[in-house]
Amino acid sequence: MTYVVTDNCIKCKYTDCVEVCPVDCFHEGPNFLAIDPDECIDCTLCEPECPAEAIYSEDDLPNEMVHFLDLNADLAQKWPVITEMKEAPADAEQWDGVPNKREHLER
């Protein structure tokens, strides 16, 4: 099983989660983080660290977010690994909780 970054990370991109990941499975894009499902060890450490509550275990993924499983896998192959926390975007709080942000995802 893997953990999955979902919609609410888009344009929020808090990086608290990467600090606790023991296997460095997070990858950073312009305005979103992705988890490499082949690297994730299901340790559960990242989920409670996400201020935007954008990380779910694969088993708990809401039906409307299932497509994020494949999206994370795809983007993790293209984006570089991120291992250290960075400052959140200046407008992250404005975007936190905004629904249906997929159209804002930058690749």
Side-chain angles (χ1 to χ4, degrees):
M1 187 177 68
T2 185
Y3 275 75
V4 182
V5 182
T6 61
D7 191 60
N8 205 40
C9 182
I10 298 169
K11 294 189 84 62
C12 288
K13 199 174 93 170
Y14 294 109
T15 56
D16 306 53
C17 51
V18 303
E19 284 276 310
V20 298
C21 181
V23 294
D24 300 335
C25 68
F26 281 89
H27 294 255
E28 180 184 24
N31 67 352
F32 183 70
L33 299 175
I35 292 175
D36 185 337
D38 295 330
E39 297 294 324
C40 180
I41 60 170
D42 189 26
C43 70
T44 74
L45 296 174
C46 61
E47 184 182 24
E49 294 300 316
C50 179
E53 299 180 356
I55 301 174
Y56 291 85
S57 72
E58 181 180 2
D59 288 344
D60 296 332
L61 200 57
N63 288 336
E64 65 272 11
M65 300 286 176
V66 169
H67 62 280
F68 277 94
L69 184 58
D70 289 337
L71 182 65
N72 274 244
D74 179 53
L75 296 176
Q77 299 306 309
K78 298 173 181 169
W79 290 345
V81 171
I82 177 174
T83 59
E84 294 181 357
M85 189 171 160
K86 296 181 177 181
E87 207 169 303
D91 60 351
E93 285 185 23
Q94 290 175 253
W95 285 99
D96 190 358
V98 173
N100 305 315
K101 296 190 285 184
R102 175 85 188 260
E103 67 186 45
H104 299 287
L105 177 65
E106 296 175 31
R107 294 180 180 243

